Amino acid sequence: MGKVIIIAGTPGTGKTTTAKLLSKKINAVHVDVSRYVIENKLYIDYDPRHLSYVIDEEKVIEKLIELVEKSDKIVIIDTHYPEILPPDTVEYVFVLRTNPLILEDRLRKKGWPWRKIRENVMAEILSIVVSNAINRFSEDKVFEIDTSNKTPEKVVEEITGVIKGYIKPSKQRIDWLSLLKPEDIMRYEISGEE
Ligand SMILES: Nc1ncnc2c1ncn2[C@@H]1O[C@H](COP(=O)(O)OP(=O)(O)OP(=O)(O)O)[C@@H](O)[C@H]1O
Ligand SMILES: [Mg+2]
């Protein structure tokens, strides 16, 4: 059975870029859960409002556990929904964080509509992914990495150091609400016409 390392974060924080590089570097298996769900038809519906699939949670959990049990390598699970995995199977949860203004830029480059950009930037401002991860996994398994001014290579270097034990992981908790100007936060609030 392979060890499980989760790379989590709001969309656009760099999970897939980081997980791909990391899996090459440490010879691990990379599972991009969004892609895996589509490729294996593990969804029950499509939600046109959120432009995303509604996943069949039971099937996704079953398939992921099966994959981890069969693997003799470390399995890197790349997802914005880390709490889907049972806590005892997971060794580390790295939550990638990105300054909301930079995240907006990255999401614009994905060509997403403003409504979807706004919702995801707001989720980042409110630390939704990290809060859910801390609730589900014990606090000492969850590490945040601010990717705003770091190359993907640097992010991978930090994660590798923690996994291999030569870097002491940062216990930093990131709170964009206290770092941003109120007018920047207000740009992402729901407007009347939505
Ligand atoms: N550390 C980084 N610094 C700057 N840009 C980055 C960094 N990591 C990723 N990016 C860029 O940000 C964009 C989003 O990255 P990526 O697709 O890996 O994010 P994601 O978290 O997997 O998103 P999604 O949840 O939508 O799959 C890409 O254009 C990527 O090149
Ligand atoms: Mg991705």
Side-chain angles (χ1 to χ4, degrees):
M1 185 165 146
K3 285 184 187 170
V4 176
I5 293 169
I6 297 181
I7 306 287
T10 307
T13 49
K15 299 180 295 294
T16 304
T17 311
T18 305
K20 261 191 193 156
L21 273 175
L22 178 66
S23 61
K24 269 199 200 130
K25 185 164 175 178
I26 64 169
N27 186 29
V29 176
H30 168 210
V31 184
D32 175 346
V33 176
S34 308
R35 235 179 97 181
Y36 187 76
V37 163
I38 296 170
E39 283 172 2
N40 293 283
K41 300 200 166 51
L42 304 175
Y43 46 81
I44 39 180
D45 207 352
Y46 183 75
D47 174 356
R49 199 191 122 72
H50 292 97
L51 307 173
S52 63
Y53 286 94
V54 180
I55 67 167
D56 182 336
E57 287 203 19
E58 261 178 47
K59 271 199 196 151
V60 175
I61 297 167
E62 195 187 299
K63 284 282 224 175
L64 288 177
I65 291 176
E66 197 183 296
L67 189 150
V68 170
E69 280 174 350
K70 280 190 185 157
S71 176
D72 52 2
K73 290 182 176 177
I74 293 178
V75 180
I76 297 170
I77 307 233
D78 152 7
T79 179
H80 57 85
Y81 185 36
E83 57 274 27
I84 193 161
L85 284 142
D88 52 344
T89 57
V90 175
E91 187 135 353
Y92 296 101
V93 184
F94 294 97
V95 183
L96 306 187
R97 306 298 308 268
T98 306
N99 181 297
L101 305 174
I102 297 177
L103 185 65
E104 175 189 336
D105 209 46
R106 290 197 201 163
L107 295 177
R108 279 189 191 281
K109 289 193 181 121
K110 281 185 190 263
W112 285 6
W114 174 244
R115 182 168 48 78
K116 191 166 171 174
I117 294 175
R118 186 192 59 66
E119 275 174 6
N120 282 286
V121 174
M122 204 42 138
E124 178 64 15
I125 292 175
L126 298 174
S127 302
I128 305 280
V129 175
V130 75
S131 306
N132 291 341
I134 290 172
N135 283 338
R136 174 77 160 156
F137 304 95
S138 69
E139 174 110 27
D140 51 310
K141 282 186 182 174
V142 180
F143 302 104
E144 296 180 60
I145 301 181
D146 184 355
T147 72
S148 311
N149 299 303
K150 283 179 195 148
T151 61
E153 288 74 15
K154 176 80 181 105
V155 176
V156 167
E157 213 179 287
E158 279 188 32
I159 296 176
T160 312
V162 174
I163 297 169
K164 305 245 184 204
Y166 60 81
I167 293 179
K168 197 167 172 279
S170 155
K171 280 274 157 204
Q172 183 194 16
R173 294 283 170 228
I174 295 167
D175 179 19
W176 301 122
L177 270 178
S178 63
L179 297 171
L180 292 179
K181 293 190 207 120
E183 59 267 33
D184 283 333
I185 297 171
M186 271 159 57
R187 290 187 47 239
Y188 305 109
E189 283 175 356
I190 302 173
S191 61
E193 68 273 14
E194 279 184 54

